[in-house]
Amino acid sequence: MGIKVNEFQKTITLHTQNTSYQMKIGNLDYLIHLYYGPTIPDVDLSYQIKQYDRGFSGNPYESRNARTFSLDAQPQEFSTQQQGDFRAASIEVVNGDGSYSFNGRVVDYKIKKGKYCLETMPSVFATESDTADTLEVTLEDAVTGVQVILIYGVFEEADMITRAVKVKNTGTKSIQLQKIMSTCLDFLNGSKMDLISFPGRYGQERQVERQPMTHHIHTIGSVRGTSSHQQNPFVILCDRDVSEDYGNCYGFSLMYSGNFLAEAELDQYDQIRFGMGIHPKQFSFEIKPGEVFEGPEVVMAFTTKGLTGLTHLYHDFYRKNLCKSKFVKDVRRPVLINSWEAAFMDFDDVKLVEIAKAAKEMGVELLVMDDGWFGKRDDDNSGLGDWYVNEKKIKCGLHKLVEQINDLGMKFGIWFEPEMVSEDSDLYRTHPEWTMEIPGRPAVRSRNQLVLDMSREEVQDYLIKEVNSILNDANIYYVKWDINRSLADIWSNAQPAEKQGEVYHRYILGLYRVMDQIIKTHPDILFEGCSGGGGRYDPAMLSYYPQYWVSDNNHPIDRLKLHYGTSFVYPISTMGAHISDSGKFVPLRTKAVVAMCGTFGYELDATHLSKEEQKICKEQSDLFRKYYHIIFEGDYYRLSNPFEVGNMTAWQHVLKDKSESLLSVVVTNLTCNGPQEYVKAKGLDPMAFYSINDGEAIYSGAALMNAGIPIDREIPEYTAFQFHMKKID
């Protein structure tokens, strides 16, 4: 079992294959954090904590005259509120008497076999091949009766630990929960640690920023109602000298799709406190006596093998333990073409069939009908919410259109944006009260859309019924689920004034219910998530969708940075990537090489391509299918950093048994009479020999990794290279 308890020492240690995590029921029954790092024996590590009179640091009353114990300096598993700890709190609660206080002490713990499940939101799961255990530790405030249940999931072989939290009101009065962190991790010495985050904006999601920890509270989060383009709920804390291949790294990935907050505070004693959970902005959730509030899950990982080692842990775990769709492993995903950049909203059934016929010549297997097929929808000013087929455009009807596409030997996909509504729509005219609009104030528009109040059960029921009716009407193989604005005017007509602080969170809970009822009841449909591109790219979404649209920015050179940042935590198999007309000076083959760092497809009008261009696309589609198993199942290596000055960007996929690899290079900056460039491979068997591109050359793994591959210089700008390496028996 991965959880060991020493009742004499009062320590609880969580063990995975290569890591240990230890806590202790310490002085006055506070739960003290002792260790998270490489595997250690079950020894009490509390000797590391030295107690001093810190001067003007508060002491628990029970300490009497002993001034050496202060929560302001103790490393904790879940920090208190108003108990002399002035660092970032894990919880903020308003008690029934109006006081702001929580003093949690251990009153119970339980160990269970298997991985826990959350009732109200998604979480990772254990498979039959996993050794997984659950720890629950209950902290209680003896005065108010408020309990916090800390939940840990331990995946031994995967080297992953998950954390979640529940708040239970066992008192006699209602409380208001105003902040709740799903994890709290205190590091005894963090003065030489860096914080890596993934900020961005629309079209430039998940860029990479690394900064040294300073004596401030570093906050990363979103208050846009979604996990957002601007930030991502994934953070890395690492040693200052960490590289791709070496050093201690801690990863924290939050399974939540709404407002989130990550806090990293380097305190006065050079300790770091890290917390992650729901953002407290406009969050105030009533918990009545007997009720329980459930916080989202954080997936944590530690490695000594640098950033690449951390990436491999998350990629392996999320490919196996995050999404149950058959398209994760059992069914190869088709090469698709999407109608958006081909026709935008100016199409009909005839145009779609023409695109499909031309795309089939390119090796495409799936046509996706994007925005514009429903209601009165000729531009983005109308029609959202009216989920019925516009038969002025689709004159033959949806069922017949799908049959025509299927008769070509192709599959059919369709686009939805369920959470939004246009003012010019039948839905809005019938139910204006279903939107988020603050009474007496004009609504904030974005992309000429208003937001449906997903916290309302009748809104959820409407969407479940309407979307399912479309999916059940025809042979739909694929669905693109979009959301194209941030949330504003947070108000629900279904909630009283004192409960408006619950709306942000209830929106997300409502969304998860809708997705449960649509996505999980259609296991044979391939769902892809989208949020104006990658604006809600988080593990909670990926528990429903096996893939997510990385960005609306399809420029292949920009995509090098987008794929680079996304790859730190999210598997390549989740990254929606297509070839488009964007990047007019970039060769078609280079666009294909970039798109192969993802799910591969097309965003263009296939009827406008020449026969030669269609032939090139067919070759690239076939190559993607040939390399599919390497790209989707192999270990991923970042061979260069596109954010640094350089002449090329390179990356590599390597099968677990090192028998095959695909190394890709895009030359981005040709300099006059410059030096010879080499790319060094990673992850190969150094003693084996590899055939390069079906026999063009043969080199040892040691040579490929240590000497490298020379990259031609006398080439056109933005040329790409692919090196398929296959071990020779």
Side-chain angles (χ1 to χ4, degrees), residues 9-11 22-26 32-35 43-51 74-75 188:
Q9 296 173 338
K10 295 187 175 181
T11 59
Q22 190 176 90
M23 65 196 81
K24 180 184 179 76
I25 303 172
I32 304 301
H33 174 77
L34 296 180
Y35 180 80
V43 60
D44 182 358
L45 292 172
S46 60
Y47 71 86
Q48 300 177 99
I49 303 173
K50 300 298 183 181
Q51 307 291 359
Q74 300 300 306
L188 287 174

Side-chain angles (χ1 to χ4, degrees), residues 30 71 76 78-95 98-104 141 144 146 148 175-179 273:
Y30 288 107
L71 293 177
Q76 297 163 64
F78 190 85
S79 61
T80 58
Q81 178 190 11
Q82 292 290 352
Q83 298 301 313
D85 185 350
F86 296 95
R87 296 169 290 175
S90 299
I91 186 172
E92 292 179 4
V93 61
V94 182
N95 298 303
S99 63
Y100 292 72
S101 182
F102 174 77
N103 189 10
D141 187 303
T144 63
V146 174
V148 170
I175 62 172
Q176 291 294 133
L177 185 65
Q178 296 187 333
K179 179 183 180 183
R273 168 165 294 169

Side-chain angles (χ1 to χ4, degrees), residues 171-376:
T172 59
K173 295 181 179 180
S174 291
I175 62 172
Q176 291 294 133
L177 185 65
Q178 296 187 333
K179 179 183 180 183
I180 184 68
M181 294 285 100
S182 293
T183 189
C184 173
L185 196 62
D186 284 352
F187 298 82
L188 287 174
N189 192 333
S191 62
K192 295 182 180 180
M193 296 186 79
D194 284 354
L195 177 70
I196 301 176
S197 60
F198 301 87
R201 59 187 183 276
Y202 172 73
Q204 296 288 338
E205 297 87 347
R206 288 169 302 287
Q207 309 293 287
V208 182
E209 288 189 356
R210 180 170 177 170
Q211 57 186 310
M213 285 296 299
T214 57
H215 291 90
H216 305 87
I217 300 178
H218 299 253
T219 62
I220 297 158
S222 170
V223 293
R224 296 171 178 266
T226 69
S227 42
S228 83
H229 301 82
Q230 287 70 24
Q231 296 290 349
N232 193 265
F234 175 64
V235 175
I236 299 171
L237 278 170
C238 60
D239 290 345
R240 186 91 10 108
D241 60 353
V242 155
S243 66
E244 281 285 355
D245 306 306
Y246 167 83
N248 295 330
C249 296
Y250 298 85
F252 304 91
S253 180
L254 179 68
M255 290 195 62
Y256 190 65
S257 308
N259 293 347
F260 77 92
L261 175 67
E263 296 178 302
E265 178 181 7
L266 184 65
D267 72 9
Q268 57 191 327
Y269 307 121
D270 286 347
Q271 300 176 131
I272 287 180
R273 168 165 294 169
F274 180 83
M276 200 173 201
I278 298 171
H279 202 292
K281 178 184 177 180
Q282 206 168 317
F283 173 79
S284 182
F285 212 96
E286 181 185 17
I287 307 176
K288 297 178 181 178
E291 290 184 343
V292 177
F293 179 91
E294 193 172 62
E297 181 170 83
V298 176
V299 180
M300 306 190 304
F302 168 80
T303 182
T304 61
K305 297 179 180 179
L307 298 169
T308 296
L310 193 69
T311 289
H312 289 173
L313 288 174
Y314 277 106
H315 283 199
D316 288 347
F317 191 63
Y318 280 168
R319 282 187 297 217
K320 180 182 176 185
N321 301 87
L322 183 57
C323 183
K324 294 182 178 179
S325 168
K326 70 179 186 180
F327 294 97
V328 172
K329 184 177 181 181
D330 298 331
V331 178
R332 182 182 63 80
R333 292 175 230 172
V335 175
L336 68 80
I337 189 166
N338 189 291
S339 70
W340 180 246
E341 291 192 30
F344 297 98
M345 298 184 194
D346 184 18
F347 64 82
D348 59 14
D349 50 351
V350 175
K351 173 67 172 176
L352 292 174
V353 173
E354 289 175 351
I355 292 173
K357 288 178 178 178
K360 186 172 176 60
E361 300 299 316
M362 300 156 50
V364 173
E365 302 159 287
L366 165 68
L367 173 79
V368 179
M369 179 174 65
D370 208 282
D371 194 354
W373 59 268
F374 53 89
K376 180 187 174 184

Side-chain angles (χ1 to χ4, degrees), residues 351 437 606 667:
K351 173 67 172 176
E437 297 180 67
V667 178

